[in-house]
Amino acid sequence: TLPTQDKLRWIDSAYAAGVRHMEVASFVPARLLPQMADAARVVAHAKTLPGLAVTALAPNLRGAAEAAEAGADRIVAPISVSHAHSLANVRRTPQEMVAEFGRIRSHLEGSPVRLVAGLSTVFGCTLQGAVPQADVCRIAAACLDAGADSIALADTTGHAPPLQVGRVIEAVRRVAGSRLAAMHFHD
C-alpha cells in the first residue's frame, strides 16, 4: 500500500511536469482494496491544483456517488465486455454492469461530472479467450444509450495486436463516433 502522502507527491510531480488530466483514485470497497481507502482525500488534494481535470474510477453507484461528492470531474465506470471476466471481477454480467451504469447516470443527472464507460477486456480475456468484436460494439452502444458521455477501450490483459486494435477502433467509431475518446493498453 502506497502511503497517501506519496500518492499526493506523485500527483504534484505529474502536475509540475505539465499533466492536466489524471485518474487519481478508485472508489472501491476498502475491505477489498485497502490501498484505495484514501480515495476521497486523494481526489480532494488533486482538486487543489488549478486546471487539473480529475478522474476517478468507480465500479458501482456507491463508488460513483462518493467520487462525485469528493469532487471528481470525470468518473470511469469499468465494464468488462468478457462475460467470464465480468463475473469474476464484479460478480455481475456485462448487461448487469450496463444497468448499473444507467443507475450511475441517473444519480449524476444535473451534475457537471462526466461519465465514461471504460470497456475492459476488449481485445481478449485470460478467462474467456477471444472477445467478439460484435460484443464490444453492442456493449458500447448500450452504454451510450444508458447515458455515457464517452467510451474508453481497454486492453486489460495485454492481448491486443495492432491490426485488431485498428479493426476494433473502426467498428466502435461506427457506433460511438467522436465519443470514442480513450484507449488503455498493457504490455
Side-chain angles (χ1 to χ4, degrees):
T1 299
L2 189 65
T4 303
Q5 284 308 115
D6 290 347
K7 293 177 186 180
L8 304 185
R9 277 194 295 277
W10 190 334
I11 290 167
D12 291 346
S13 295
Y15 182 82
V19 176
R20 293 300 180 261
H21 294 86
M22 286 185 227
E23 183 174 315
V24 300
S26 295
F27 286 81
V28 295
R31 66 180 164 62
L32 298 176
L33 289 167
Q35 59 269 50
M36 297 295 171
D38 60 358
R41 182 170 172 210
V42 172
V43 168
H45 174 78
K47 290 298 292 178
T48 67
L49 301 173
L52 179 63
V54 177
T55 301
L57 182 138
N60 55 39
L61 177 56
R62 180 177 177 177
E66 291 173 2
E69 184 177 320
D73 300 304
R74 290 184 345 156
I75 296 172
V76 175
I79 300 170
S80 182
V81 178
S82 159
H83 188 86
H85 184 267
S86 189
L87 289 175
N89 196 39
V90 292
R91 296 186 183 146
R92 293 181 178 177
T93 67
Q95 295 75 19
E96 289 169 333
M97 285 304 294
V98 171
E100 182 73 358
F101 187 88
R103 287 187 284 279
I104 294 169
R105 169 46 69 208
S106 293
H107 179 79
L108 295 174
E109 201 60 46
S111 163
V113 177
R114 308 277 298 160
L115 186 57
V116 179
L119 305 189
S120 61
T121 62
V122 166
F123 301 98
C125 174
T126 54
L127 301 172
Q128 176 178 309
V131 174
Q133 183 175 294
D135 290 356
V136 176
C137 292
R138 182 178 44 77
I139 296 294
C143 289
L144 292 168
D145 289 344
D149 292 307
S150 61
I151 301 287
L153 303 178
D155 178 25
T156 312
T157 58
H159 279 83
L163 291 176
Q164 181 190 17
V165 171
R167 287 191 301 268
V168 170
I169 288 172
E170 287 175 14
V172 175
R173 275 193 182 142
R174 286 192 293 273
V175 172
S178 64
R179 291 193 286 173
L180 172 55
M183 304 291 293
H184 175 103
F185 293 96
H186 285 263
D187 183 348

